[in-house]
Amino acid sequence: MRRAMRIAARAGRLMAAAGSPGAGTGTGTAIGPKRPRPEPAPRIGTHDGTFHCDEVLACYLLRLLPQYRDAEVLRTRDPQLLAQCDVVVDVGGEYDPKRHRYDHHQRSFSESMRSLRPDKPWTTKLSSAGLVYCHFGSQILAGLLGQPEDGPVVTALYDKLYENFVEEIDAIDNGIAQAEGEPRYAVTTTLSARVAHLNPRWNDPRPDPEAAFKRATELVGSEFLERLGYYHGAWLPARALVEEAVRKRFQVDASGAVLELPGGGCPWKEHVFQLEQELALPAPIQLVLYPDGAGQWRLQSVPTGPHTFQSRLPLPEPWRGLRDEPLSLVTGVPACVFVHASGFTGGNRTREGALEMARRTLALRDGGGAQNG
């Protein structure tokens, strides 16, 4: 949180006005040459009417850039007014980065992050948010973090923020479903949904769309900075810990299938998936061992993917839903605390006990015991 606040403060400074003119020489007639008239503030154009998360984020991101930090956001569909804008997002029917036109609604538009940057894997059609992030994201992150634009920190966080923040906004705005088929339940609290709810109500007798757009910008901006602060301050430093644990995994158990982490709050899942590929591990890691905040030890199965609840190796079915002494009797391991009803995690009061639970889980798998996960 503190790191996110520091990033927010830096963002505030980037977006602050360049400063008021210096004080005059007195109350009389000014002496000396006339000061040059200030250049007009740049303009960011976007459409009026109902606003959406993609252009709100696009406008916010642009104003993090030095050249647009004092920009006025002009919401209109008038072609003549848009032609006078320095940059136009989400309106105008034109994608031309040389002229800073970033619309995605025209029939000819099919760009994705991968089509514009072939080194990136994402094929989701871009919205105005994704277009601005694609072209300016590295520069924005470098300015916020005080890091080189082509350095490893900015490179890692650029990818992380697209995959876990911007891509969702691109997909929702372009009407791309998360999965095939009818969803089992409605998800109504996404950032895009919350931005949509900030639009004036249809029966509001005194609607103020500009004030509503400002509130939406504040919401989107705060979430972007908080997410950046978390990824920079917590997620990225965890990679080194996970990589060290991967390299030392055979010291934990001869199978190499059990990873031991020094702390329970460390975000490890995505790092495990990435390191398995980067290090070309001969076999996937199955279980992760770590101490929790209460001084006990937890055992957790690695999920089958970054966005699923399915486990690679759930704890044995006869253990699930049991606690304390009944669980210890079934497992044959003393000091057991619990096993979740789905089998994805369990606990023991000691490291040795949790590790023994992991070993017995592996033995049951290798011996053909029932897992039912």
Side-chain angles (χ1 to χ4, degrees):
M1 178 59 72
R2 291 178 180 174
R3 189 178 294 269
M5 292 174 66
R6 290 197 295 270
I7 292 174
R10 185 188 289 267
R13 291 194 295 271
L14 287 172
M15 292 177 64
S20 58
T25 58
T27 57
T29 304
I31 299 173
K34 293 183 179 180
R35 292 174 181 163
R37 298 183 67 178
E39 292 291 327
R43 285 185 170 183
I44 300 170
T46 191
H47 63 81
D48 56 8
T50 300
F51 52 77
H52 311 97
C53 194
D54 71 312
E55 80 265 17
V56 173
L57 178 59
C59 292
Y60 176 82
L61 291 175
L62 286 169
R63 296 191 72 235
L64 291 176
L65 294 165
Q67 62 267 38
Y68 298 123
R69 67 182 179 185
D70 300 318
E72 169 194 357
V73 176
L74 177 62
R75 300 181 66 233
T76 181
R77 294 184 186 272
D78 186 328
Q80 294 183 348
L81 293 177
L82 291 172
Q84 300 171 28
C85 292
D86 300 86
V87 56
V88 177
V89 298
D90 210 44
V91 70
E94 184 179 10
Y95 169 56
D96 184 354
K98 293 181 180 179
R99 297 178 52 248
H100 295 306
R101 267 43 186 171
Y102 302 102
D103 196 11
H104 66 109
H105 293 100
Q106 56 273 28
R107 287 175 61 89
S108 60
F109 184 89
S110 61
E111 302 290 359
S112 65
M113 186 68 80
R114 186 172 185 178
S115 70
L116 296 179
R117 298 190 58 174
D119 60 316
K120 304 302 181 186
W122 304 285
T123 58
T124 299
K125 182 180 175 181
L126 297 172
S127 68
S128 62
L131 283 171
V132 169
Y133 189 81
C134 179
H135 288 285
F136 299 105
S138 294
Q139 182 183 348
I140 290 167
L141 296 182
L144 290 173
L145 301 173
Q147 295 279 340
E149 190 171 333
D150 58 352
V153 171
V154 169
T155 299
L157 294 179
Y158 177 94
D159 289 355
K160 182 66 174 174
L161 275 162
Y162 182 75
E163 185 171 33
N164 288 270
F165 192 87
V166 181
E167 186 180 22
E168 172 190 321
I169 295 169
D170 285 343
I172 290 174
D173 195 77
N174 283 305
I176 301 171
Q178 191 175 16
E180 298 294 334
E182 189 70 21
R184 294 184 178 181
Y185 53 87
V187 177
T188 63
T189 57
T190 64
L191 182 58
S192 294
R194 284 180 283 133
V195 166
H197 289 149
L198 290 176
N199 278 280
R201 297 176 181 178
W202 70 271
N203 55 354
D204 189 337
R206 295 185 179 86
D208 190 343
E210 299 310 312
F213 187 87
K214 181 179 179 181
R215 289 196 300 273
T217 303
E218 292 169 351
L219 170 64
V220 169
S222 66
E223 294 218 6
F224 177 82
L225 294 179
E226 286 176 5
R227 190 70 64 90
L228 174 60
Y230 170 75
Y231 290 149
H232 184 227
W235 178 82
L236 193 58
R239 180 186 164 90
L241 297 177
V242 177
E243 183 171 357
E244 182 180 10
V246 169
R247 297 187 186 279
K248 292 182 176 180
R249 68 193 187 282
F250 288 102
Q251 300 175 24
V252 178
D253 185 73
S255 68
V258 182
L259 205 67
E260 182 177 344
L261 296 173
C266 169
W268 53 266
K269 295 176 185 177
E270 288 175 290
H271 294 309
V272 165
F273 299 136
Q274 291 174 356
L275 288 165
E276 285 178 337
Q277 294 183 355
E278 292 175 15
L279 301 177
L281 299 190
I285 294 164
Q286 301 292 331
L287 299 164
V288 176
L289 196 70
Y290 56 86
D292 64 18
Q296 299 178 342
W297 282 78
R298 295 286 293 271
L299 176 64
Q300 187 169 339
S301 174
V302 178
T304 57
H307 306 296
T308 179
F309 295 111
Q310 187 175 1
S311 299
R312 284 180 176 174
L313 181 60
L315 303 187
E317 195 278 333
W319 301 3
R320 299 177 197 173
L322 299 180
R323 300 187 64 87
D324 304 323
E325 189 60 26
L327 177 60
S328 292
L329 289 173
V330 171
T331 62
V333 179
C336 286
V337 177
F338 81 103
V339 168
H340 192 274
S342 69
F344 88 96
T345 188
N348 193 285
R349 287 193 288 274
T350 69
R351 174 190 178 276
E352 293 74 17
L355 180 56
E356 184 60 26
M357 291 172 71
R359 288 171 173 162
R360 296 195 180 201
T361 299
L362 291 168
L364 286 169
R365 175 202 65 178
D366 296 337
Q371 292 295 310
N372 299 332

mmCIF file of all heavy atoms in Angstrom, residues 27-51:
data_model
loop_
_atom_site.group_PDB
_atom_site.id
_atom_site.type_symbol
_atom_site.label_atom_id
_atom_site.label_comp_id
_atom_site.label_asym_id
_atom_site.label_seq_id
_atom_site.Cartn_x
_atom_site.Cartn_y
_atom_site.Cartn_z
ATOM 1 N N THR A 27 3.239 46.674 -8.056
ATOM 2 C CA THR A 27 1.877 46.994 -8.453
ATOM 3 C C THR A 27 1.816 47.953 -9.623
ATOM 4 O O THR A 27 0.766 48.165 -10.195
ATOM 5 C CB THR A 27 1.132 47.612 -7.266
ATOM 6 O OG1 THR A 27 1.845 48.761 -6.822
ATOM 7 C CG2 THR A 27 1.022 46.612 -6.133
ATOM 8 N N GLY A 28 2.956 48.533 -10.007
ATOM 9 C CA GLY A 28 2.953 49.478 -11.110
ATOM 10 C C GLY A 28 3.067 48.772 -12.443
ATOM 11 O O GLY A 28 2.907 47.566 -12.568
ATOM 12 N N THR A 29 3.382 49.536 -13.460
ATOM 13 C CA THR A 29 3.516 49.001 -14.803
ATOM 14 C C THR A 29 4.730 48.094 -14.881
ATOM 15 O O THR A 29 5.801 48.431 -14.373
ATOM 16 C CB THR A 29 3.654 50.148 -15.819
ATOM 17 O OG1 THR A 29 2.528 51.014 -15.674
ATOM 18 C CG2 THR A 29 3.730 49.614 -17.235
ATOM 19 N N ALA A 30 4.576 46.965 -15.491
ATOM 20 C CA ALA A 30 5.684 46.022 -15.588
ATOM 21 C C ALA A 30 6.795 46.595 -16.431
ATOM 22 O O ALA A 30 6.560 47.326 -17.394
ATOM 23 C CB ALA A 30 5.197 44.713 -16.188
ATOM 24 N N ILE A 31 8.022 46.308 -16.040
ATOM 25 C CA ILE A 31 9.192 46.791 -16.757
ATOM 26 C C ILE A 31 9.853 45.608 -17.445
ATOM 27 O O ILE A 31 9.953 44.523 -16.883
ATOM 28 C CB ILE A 31 10.172 47.467 -15.784
ATOM 29 C CG1 ILE A 31 9.487 48.673 -15.120
ATOM 30 C CG2 ILE A 31 11.444 47.910 -16.502
ATOM 31 C CD1 ILE A 31 10.317 49.296 -14.037
ATOM 32 N N GLY A 32 10.370 45.823 -18.636
ATOM 33 C CA GLY A 32 11.071 44.763 -19.340
ATOM 34 C C GLY A 32 10.241 44.206 -20.471
ATOM 35 O O GLY A 32 9.109 44.637 -20.706
ATOM 36 N N PRO A 33 10.814 43.229 -21.160
ATOM 37 C CA PRO A 33 10.101 42.674 -22.326
ATOM 38 C C PRO A 33 8.856 41.913 -21.909
ATOM 39 O O PRO A 33 8.777 41.356 -20.827
ATOM 40 C CB PRO A 33 11.147 41.723 -22.939
ATOM 41 C CG PRO A 33 12.057 41.370 -21.800
ATOM 42 C CD PRO A 33 12.111 42.593 -20.933
ATOM 43 N N LYS A 34 7.901 41.940 -22.794
ATOM 44 C CA LYS A 34 6.672 41.194 -22.525
ATOM 45 C C LYS A 34 6.946 39.696 -22.526
ATOM 46 O O LYS A 34 7.745 39.199 -23.305
ATOM 47 C CB LYS A 34 5.612 41.512 -23.590
ATOM 48 C CG LYS A 34 5.102 42.937 -23.545
ATOM 49 C CD LYS A 34 4.017 43.129 -24.581
ATOM 50 C CE LYS A 34 3.462 44.550 -24.535
ATOM 51 N NZ LYS A 34 2.402 44.743 -25.558
ATOM 52 N N ARG A 35 6.278 39.023 -21.600
ATOM 53 C CA ARG A 35 6.411 37.573 -21.575
ATOM 54 C C ARG A 35 5.657 36.971 -22.750
ATOM 55 O O ARG A 35 4.585 37.436 -23.119
ATOM 56 C CB ARG A 35 5.845 37.006 -20.276
ATOM 57 C CG ARG A 35 6.660 37.394 -19.061
ATOM 58 C CD ARG A 35 5.984 36.924 -17.813
ATOM 59 N NE ARG A 35 6.741 37.301 -16.641
ATOM 60 C CZ ARG A 35 6.259 37.321 -15.416
ATOM 61 N NH1 ARG A 35 4.996 36.996 -15.216
ATOM 62 N NH2 ARG A 35 7.019 37.668 -14.401
ATOM 63 N N PRO A 36 6.219 35.894 -23.308
ATOM 64 C CA PRO A 36 5.495 35.259 -24.428
ATOM 65 C C PRO A 36 4.191 34.662 -23.919
ATOM 66 O O PRO A 36 4.102 34.175 -22.794
ATOM 67 C CB PRO A 36 6.463 34.160 -24.881
ATOM 68 C CG PRO A 36 7.354 33.904 -23.704
ATOM 69 C CD PRO A 36 7.481 35.231 -22.998
ATOM 70 N N ARG A 37 3.202 34.702 -24.748
ATOM 71 C CA ARG A 37 1.906 34.142 -24.387
ATOM 72 C C ARG A 37 2.054 32.623 -24.275
ATOM 73 O O ARG A 37 2.681 31.985 -25.110
ATOM 74 C CB ARG A 37 0.857 34.497 -25.429
ATOM 75 C CG ARG A 37 0.626 35.993 -25.571
ATOM 76 C CD ARG A 37 -0.471 36.283 -26.547
ATOM 77 N NE ARG A 37 -1.764 35.829 -26.053
ATOM 78 C CZ ARG A 37 -2.907 36.002 -26.706
ATOM 79 N NH1 ARG A 37 -2.907 36.611 -27.881
ATOM 80 N NH2 ARG A 37 -4.033 35.568 -26.199
ATOM 81 N N PRO A 38 1.489 32.041 -23.236
ATOM 82 C CA PRO A 38 1.636 30.583 -23.074
ATOM 83 C C PRO A 38 0.958 29.827 -24.210
ATOM 84 O O PRO A 38 -0.049 30.260 -24.761
ATOM 85 C CB PRO A 38 0.953 30.306 -21.730
ATOM 86 C CG PRO A 38 -0.018 31.443 -21.556
ATOM 87 C CD PRO A 38 0.640 32.631 -22.187
ATOM 88 N N GLU A 39 1.553 28.684 -24.526
ATOM 89 C CA GLU A 39 0.962 27.825 -25.542
ATOM 90 C C GLU A 39 -0.364 27.277 -25.015
ATOM 91 O O GLU A 39 -0.515 26.995 -23.820
ATOM 92 C CB GLU A 39 1.899 26.665 -25.864
ATOM 93 C CG GLU A 39 3.177 27.067 -26.578
ATOM 94 C CD GLU A 39 2.909 27.547 -28.001
ATOM 95 O OE1 GLU A 39 1.962 27.027 -28.630
ATOM 96 O OE2 GLU A 39 3.632 28.445 -28.450
ATOM 97 N N PRO A 40 -1.345 27.110 -25.890
ATOM 98 C CA PRO A 40 -2.611 26.533 -25.428
ATOM 99 C C PRO A 40 -2.398 25.089 -24.954
ATOM 100 O O PRO A 40 -1.543 24.372 -25.473
ATOM 101 C CB PRO A 40 -3.504 26.586 -26.665
ATOM 102 C CG PRO A 40 -2.560 26.662 -27.832
ATOM 103 C CD PRO A 40 -1.363 27.421 -27.330
ATOM 104 N N ALA A 41 -3.161 24.700 -23.944
ATOM 105 C CA ALA A 41 -3.046 23.350 -23.419
ATOM 106 C C ALA A 41 -3.421 22.339 -24.501
ATOM 107 O O ALA A 41 -4.329 22.582 -25.299
ATOM 108 C CB ALA A 41 -3.944 23.179 -22.202
ATOM 109 N N PRO A 42 -2.727 21.213 -24.552
ATOM 110 C CA PRO A 42 -3.111 20.196 -25.534
ATOM 111 C C PRO A 42 -4.500 19.650 -25.246
ATOM 112 O O PRO A 42 -5.006 19.747 -24.123
ATOM 113 C CB PRO A 42 -2.031 19.111 -25.357
ATOM 114 C CG PRO A 42 -1.482 19.326 -23.992
ATOM 115 C CD PRO A 42 -1.599 20.793 -23.714
ATOM 116 N N ARG A 43 -5.098 19.058 -26.242
ATOM 117 C CA ARG A 43 -6.446 18.515 -26.110
ATOM 118 C C ARG A 43 -6.454 17.020 -26.418
ATOM 119 O O ARG A 43 -5.880 16.577 -27.413
ATOM 120 C CB ARG A 43 -7.422 19.224 -27.048
ATOM 121 C CG ARG A 43 -7.833 20.617 -26.590
ATOM 122 C CD ARG A 43 -8.886 21.188 -27.527
ATOM 123 N NE ARG A 43 -9.467 22.411 -27.012
ATOM 124 C CZ ARG A 43 -10.455 23.088 -27.598
ATOM 125 N NH1 ARG A 43 -10.976 22.619 -28.723
ATOM 126 N NH2 ARG A 43 -10.933 24.188 -27.060
ATOM 127 N N ILE A 44 -7.134 16.295 -25.566
ATOM 128 C CA ILE A 44 -7.405 14.878 -25.806
ATOM 129 C C ILE A 44 -8.877 14.771 -26.154
ATOM 130 O O ILE A 44 -9.743 15.140 -25.362
ATOM 131 C CB ILE A 44 -7.102 14.028 -24.560
ATOM 132 C CG1 ILE A 44 -5.627 14.153 -24.160
ATOM 133 C CG2 ILE A 44 -7.477 12.568 -24.800
ATOM 134 C CD1 ILE A 44 -5.317 13.526 -22.814
ATOM 135 N N GLY A 45 -9.176 14.264 -27.322
ATOM 136 C CA GLY A 45 -10.560 14.137 -27.753
ATOM 137 C C GLY A 45 -11.081 12.724 -27.557
ATOM 138 O O GLY A 45 -10.379 11.747 -27.824
ATOM 139 N N THR A 46 -12.299 12.631 -27.079
ATOM 140 C CA THR A 46 -13.000 11.354 -27.013
ATOM 141 C C THR A 46 -14.491 11.631 -27.179
ATOM 142 O O THR A 46 -14.905 12.793 -27.222
ATOM 143 C CB THR A 46 -12.695 10.604 -25.706
ATOM 144 O OG1 THR A 46 -13.199 9.269 -25.807
ATOM 145 C CG2 THR A 46 -13.322 11.287 -24.498
ATOM 146 N N HIS A 47 -15.292 10.594 -27.273
ATOM 147 C CA HIS A 47 -16.707 10.810 -27.577
ATOM 148 C C HIS A 47 -17.472 11.272 -26.343
ATOM 149 O O HIS A 47 -17.099 10.991 -25.203
ATOM 150 C CB HIS A 47 -17.335 9.549 -28.156
ATOM 151 C CG HIS A 47 -17.330 8.385 -27.200
ATOM 152 N ND1 HIS A 47 -18.260 8.218 -26.200
ATOM 153 C CD2 HIS A 47 -16.503 7.321 -27.117
ATOM 154 C CE1 HIS A 47 -18.021 7.112 -25.532
ATOM 155 N NE2 HIS A 47 -16.946 6.540 -26.065
ATOM 156 N N ASP A 48 -18.571 11.958 -26.585
ATOM 157 C CA ASP A 48 -19.464 12.348 -25.502
ATOM 158 C C ASP A 48 -20.505 11.257 -25.309
ATOM 159 O O ASP A 48 -20.407 10.164 -25.850
ATOM 160 C CB ASP A 48 -20.099 13.717 -25.773
ATOM 161 C CG ASP A 48 -20.849 13.769 -27.099
ATOM 162 O OD1 ASP A 48 -21.017 12.703 -27.746
ATOM 163 O OD2 ASP A 48 -21.284 14.859 -27.501
ATOM 164 N N GLY A 49 -21.531 11.545 -24.509
ATOM 165 C CA GLY A 49 -22.549 10.545 -24.223
ATOM 166 C C GLY A 49 -22.050 9.538 -23.200
ATOM 167 O O GLY A 49 -21.192 9.834 -22.375
ATOM 168 N N THR A 50 -22.600 8.335 -23.251
ATOM 169 C CA THR A 50 -22.225 7.293 -22.301
ATOM 170 C C THR A 50 -20.737 6.976 -22.425
ATOM 171 O O THR A 50 -20.232 6.738 -23.521
ATOM 172 C CB THR A 50 -23.042 6.018 -22.560
ATOM 173 O OG1 THR A 50 -24.430 6.315 -22.406
ATOM 174 C CG2 THR A 50 -22.654 4.916 -21.574
ATOM 175 N N PHE A 51 -20.036 7.000 -21.299
ATOM 176 C CA PHE A 51 -18.611 6.669 -21.335
ATOM 177 C C PHE A 51 -18.399 5.234 -20.893
ATOM 178 O O PHE A 51 -19.236 4.616 -20.254
ATOM 179 C CB PHE A 51 -17.794 7.636 -20.464
ATOM 180 C CG PHE A 51 -18.279 7.801 -19.055
ATOM 181 C CD1 PHE A 51 -18.032 6.835 -18.085
ATOM 182 C CD2 PHE A 51 -18.980 8.948 -18.680
ATOM 183 C CE1 PHE A 51 -18.478 6.999 -16.786
ATOM 184 C CE2 PHE A 51 -19.424 9.122 -17.375
ATOM 185 C CZ PHE A 51 -19.162 8.141 -16.426
#
